């Protein structure tokens, strides 16, 4: 498997000559500056996007990796037809979320042919207009999880133990890597379907009784 990953990485980085990546991405033997890229690479080797960003991500910050994770989550989740705005997707961010300019890489992006909208500092009354929401640790993620219980809104946070508070996806540090865990019971309660591919990549799955 590692050999396959290295091979595909080399192929993707080979495209840097056309995508404008810096010279460092053409030296895969060098140790990545940010370990989460290992898992990110696994996700990107699935039928995901952001291939033009993979080489750049070698030197990406944690915020950039989190943004890439959020974007890729959309590719592996199906929302019920009753979900709001079926012809487009909406990524919401809680008030203290600060991904800086890394959100710019999502401008103009689509998911399965549908445009992706980003709403920063989402108001409480508008929460259910989101398909997926990232909740900063400073914004009491557990409160959001309780508010969204049973709704088709996928909640994501890097708050420790978030899925045990009813959140859908928790971003977690796995050593010096970024990983994630999933509360499948919460996802099912909101009639959102998380693909087997994404479940396979999860560090932990809380499936309930």
């Amino acid at each position: 498997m590692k050999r396959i990953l290295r091979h595909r990485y080399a192929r993707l980085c080979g495209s840097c000559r056309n995508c404008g990546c810096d010279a460092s991405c053409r030296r895969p033997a060098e140790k990545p500056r940010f370990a989460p890229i290992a898992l990110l690479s696994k996700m990107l080797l699935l039928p995901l996007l952001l291939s033009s960003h993979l080489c750049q991500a070698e030197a990406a910050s944690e915020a950039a990796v989190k943004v890439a994770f959020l974007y890729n989550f959309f590719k592996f989740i199906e929302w019920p037809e009753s979900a709001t705005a079926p012809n487009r997707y909406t990524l919401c961010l809680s008030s203290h979320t600060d991904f800086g300019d890394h959100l710019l890489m999502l401008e103009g992006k689509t998911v399965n042919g549908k445009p992706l909208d980003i709403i920063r500092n989402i108001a409480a009354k508008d929460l259910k207009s989101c398909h997926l929401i990232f909740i900063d640790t400073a914004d009491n993620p557990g409160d959001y999880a309780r508010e969204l219980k049973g709704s088709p809104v996928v909640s994501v946070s890097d708050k420790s133990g978030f899925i045990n508070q009813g959140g859908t996806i928790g971003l977690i540090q796995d050593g010096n890597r970024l990983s994630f865990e999933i509360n499948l019971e919460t996802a099912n309660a909101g009639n959102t379907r998380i693909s087997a591919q994404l479940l396979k990549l999860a560090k932990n799955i809380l499936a309930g009784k």
Side-chain angles (χ1 to χ4, degrees), residues 64-131:
V65 175
K66 288 179 180 177
V67 170
F69 268 54
L70 295 176
Y71 181 45
N72 284 298
F73 286 154
F74 276 93
K75 299 288 289 185
F76 293 93
I77 298 173
E78 292 181 9
W79 280 264
E81 293 183 358
S82 58
T84 182
N87 296 323
R88 57 199 312 114
Y89 289 105
T90 304
L91 168 62
C92 301
L93 306 173
S94 66
S95 61
H96 285 86
T97 302
D98 183 11
F99 290 140
D101 292 339
H102 299 298
L103 284 173
L104 295 177
M105 69 179 179
L106 299 187
E107 286 190 353
K109 291 291 184 182
T110 60
V111 179
N112 297 327
K114 300 178 183 178
L116 175 65
D117 297 330
I118 301 174
I119 301 178
R120 298 172 174 82
N121 193 18
I122 184 73
K125 64 181 180 61
D126 296 326
L127 285 179
K128 294 183 179 178
S129 66
C130 310
H131 286 88

Side-chain angles (χ1 to χ4, degrees), residues 92-203:
C92 301
L93 306 173
S94 66
S95 61
H96 285 86
T97 302
D98 183 11
F99 290 140
D101 292 339
H102 299 298
L103 284 173
L104 295 177
M105 69 179 179
L106 299 187
E107 286 190 353
K109 291 291 184 182
T110 60
V111 179
N112 297 327
K114 300 178 183 178
L116 175 65
D117 297 330
I118 301 174
I119 301 178
R120 298 172 174 82
N121 193 18
I122 184 73
K125 64 181 180 61
D126 296 326
L127 285 179
K128 294 183 179 178
S129 66
C130 310
H131 286 88
L132 187 148
I133 178 172
F134 178 83
I135 309 150
D136 188 88
T137 298
D139 291 318
N140 298 317
D143 292 345
Y144 281 80
R146 284 187 287 275
E147 177 67 24
L148 295 172
K149 184 178 181 180
S151 71
V153 178
V154 173
S155 56
V156 183
S157 179
D158 51 6
K159 170 76 172 180
S160 177
F162 181 56
I163 65 170
N164 295 316
Q165 296 179 314
T168 314
I169 301 177
L171 300 180
I172 57 175
Q173 288 296 133
D174 180 16
N176 62 346
R177 298 181 179 183
L178 187 67
S179 185
F180 62 91
E181 53 188 5
I182 294 174
N183 186 328
L184 195 55
E185 185 176 22
T186 296
N188 291 337
N191 292 319
T192 53
R193 182 179 179 275
I194 297 179
S195 76
Q197 290 171 304
L198 192 61
L199 292 173
K200 188 176 180 179
L201 290 172
K203 180 73 174 179

